[in-house]
Amino acid sequence: HRDLDPGPPPELAGSAFPLKRAYLPECLEGIGGRPTPLVVLEPLVLKDTEALKERAPRWREALAALNLSAKDRRFWIELLQYAVLQRFATMGLKEVEDMLQLTPLKDTAGGKELIAIGRQKGLQEGLQEGLQKGRQEGRQEGLQKGELIGEIRACQRVLKMVVTPRETLREMSLAELRDLLSELDDKL
């Protein structure tokens, strides 16, 4: 916008290659409503959502009127959607899709790729989290088993019983070790 132009940089003063300025609002006015891919930039100069809602169908029609391949049309429509979402950050994706009468993002090739990337990342993070949790639970169970084995062997010594080898006790489950310790405690 012309009001935001800080002027030419001092480094370019007297340059053989002068800097040309173009202001988006003026460039868009120069198009004069003709169908062009540059309509995707129009949301960036709007001030309110009322103007957005009024103009959005025309942008979609302008892009549809261009002789573009399906891939190129999809690109420009996604760029239009992105411009709207950037300029009007409080609007939701569904609201923008409805207003522009777009295919939902999840149904576009780009949307499907994003969903696949998200799923893959989620699976990887879930796997890492699961491994960490499993390790933690395994350590905890190992500590519990170690304590129970120590207590069982100590009780057996106090009761002057044959002390069960550690290897034999390690093969038992936590529940079996707790039951055995309970029986020994009853005998004390």
Side-chain angles (χ1 to χ4, degrees):
H1 196 277
R2 187 175 292 278
D3 295 343
L4 302 174
D5 186 356
E11 299 84 24
L12 294 179
S15 171
F17 304 101
L19 181 66
K20 292 193 183 227
R21 289 181 175 76
Y23 304 100
L24 185 57
E26 294 168 15
C27 291
L28 293 172
E29 281 178 28
I31 294 170
R34 291 186 309 271
T36 171
L38 294 179
V39 298
V40 301
L41 300 176
E42 286 191 29
L44 301 175
V45 298
L46 293 181
K47 303 240 185 278
D48 58 50
T49 56
E50 290 307 313
L52 173 69
K53 290 176 183 176
E54 177 189 320
R55 293 185 185 173
R58 286 187 286 178
W59 300 331
R60 176 81 164 107
E61 290 169 12
L63 290 174
L66 298 174
N67 188 19
L68 299 171
S69 68
K71 180 181 175 187
D72 288 343
R73 185 176 300 110
R74 195 169 40 251
F75 168 79
W76 287 107
I77 288 172
E78 286 176 7
L79 194 57
L80 174 61
Q81 183 178 5
Y82 178 77
V84 171
L85 288 169
Q86 289 301 307
R87 175 62 183 90
F88 298 95
T90 58
M91 293 184 79
L93 180 61
K94 177 77 172 115
E95 185 179 6
V96 172
E97 287 172 348
D98 289 346
M99 181 178 39
L100 296 173
Q101 301 165 356
L102 298 177
T103 302
L105 183 61
K106 67 181 177 56
D107 295 336
T108 66
K112 289 176 182 176
E113 287 178 21
L114 290 173
I115 290 168
I117 290 168
R119 281 189 182 135
Q120 184 64 32
K121 188 173 182 180
L123 286 173
Q124 289 172 348
E125 289 174 1
L127 180 60
Q128 288 293 354
E129 188 176 312
L131 286 172
Q132 287 176 334
K133 188 174 181 180
R135 284 186 195 122
Q136 182 64 28
E137 288 175 5
R139 283 187 203 112
Q140 191 67 28
E141 186 175 322
L143 288 172
Q144 289 174 0
K145 270 182 127 174
E147 288 176 13
L148 289 171
I149 289 170
E151 289 180 40
I152 289 168
R153 289 174 54 92
C155 287
Q156 287 173 335
R157 283 189 192 100
V158 168
L159 293 169
K160 301 204 185 296
M161 295 174 67
V162 175
V163 178
T164 308
R166 281 189 178 93
E167 293 77 27
T168 304
L169 294 171
R170 278 190 204 121
E171 291 176 10
M172 297 172 74
S173 70
L174 275 173
E176 292 171 325
L177 291 172
R178 286 187 186 113
D179 290 345
L180 179 56
L181 182 58
S182 180
E183 290 173 19
L184 291 170
D185 277 342
D186 290 345
K187 294 179 183 179
L188 286 176

